[in-house]
Amino acid sequence: MTPREDPRLAEARALPIGEVAERLGIAGLKPSQAIERIGPCPVCGGRDRFGINTARNVYNCRHCGGGDAIALVELVKGCEFRAALDWLMGAREVEIDPAELARRKAAREKDARERSRQAEAARKN
């Protein structure tokens, strides 16, 4: 199976870029607009050359380039595609029970909803 045929790919690309940036520990991004946060690039620095766009679910650095959540992990971790996908989604398992897959997906969705709720509560305070 090629990396592009990996069943985790669509799910990884659907992850909110803001959450991936938080997991990577990217700090110092300030809201530029409702859908964009800008700041220093976690790799090359600068002051405002890096940004994430939550509506398009992408990042961009005027020096390093841009892309989706997987590409952001590749950039920050300095790893290749498969390692980035493993970091985001966990190592691919050969045989997983469909019920277990559904349980894991539900758990990730619940965690995402809770993080969103906490972020919203923090914005209101």
Side-chain angles (χ1 to χ4, degrees), residues 4-26:
R4 304 292 178 201
E5 296 170 342
D6 194 315
R8 302 171 299 162
L9 187 57
E11 194 173 344
R13 287 196 170 128
L15 291 172
I17 194 86
E19 289 180 19
V20 173
E22 287 175 22
R23 279 181 60 191
L24 287 166
I26 298 173

Side-chain angles (χ1 to χ4, degrees), residues 1 3 6 9 12 14 17 19 23 25 28-29 32-33 36 41 43 65 67 77 83 86 90 102 106 110 117:
M1 172 184 317
D6 194 315
L9 187 57
I17 194 86
E19 289 180 19
R23 279 181 60 191
L29 300 181
S32 166
Q33 302 171 354
E36 191 170 46
C41 176
V43 174
K77 294 283 194 184
D86 286 346
K110 181 180 177 185
R117 186 194 63 74

Side-chain angles (χ1 to χ4, degrees), residues 9-10 14 23 60 65 68 72 74 98 107 114 120-121:
L9 187 57
R23 279 181 60 191
N60 186 57
D68 62 7
L72 180 58
E74 288 177 286
E114 178 61 22
E120 185 63 31

Side-chain angles (χ1 to χ4, degrees), residues 102-118:
R103 187 194 65 73
R104 290 180 186 182
K105 182 177 180 182
R108 282 193 300 272
E109 289 171 351
K110 181 180 177 185
D111 289 344
R113 285 191 303 271
E114 178 61 22
R115 285 191 302 272
S116 294
R117 186 194 63 74
Q118 289 173 351

Side-chain angles (χ1 to χ4, degrees), residues 23-119:
R23 279 181 60 191
L24 287 166
I26 298 173
L29 300 181
K30 307 228 183 299
S32 166
Q33 302 171 354
I35 61 171
E36 191 170 46
R37 291 183 260 163
I38 61 170
C41 176
V43 174
C44 69
R47 192 171 50 109
D48 64 352
R49 67 175 65 170
F50 179 83
I52 60 172
N53 183 308
T54 56
R56 292 184 177 165
N57 213 31
V58 296
Y59 81 93
N60 186 57
C61 172
R62 290 192 302 268
H63 182 263
C64 299
D68 62 7
I70 301 169
L72 180 58
V73 174
E74 288 177 286
L75 174 73
V76 174
K77 294 283 194 184
C79 62
E80 294 183 4
F81 179 86
R82 187 173 301 267
L85 188 58
D86 286 346
W87 187 87
L88 280 170
M89 305 306 299
R92 183 171 50 104
E93 298 175 23
V94 177
E95 291 291 326
I96 301 177
D97 177 35
E100 176 65 14
L101 285 175
R103 187 194 65 73
R104 290 180 186 182
K105 182 177 180 182
R108 282 193 300 272
E109 289 171 351
K110 181 180 177 185
D111 289 344
R113 285 191 303 271
E114 178 61 22
R115 285 191 302 272
S116 294
R117 186 194 63 74
Q118 289 173 351

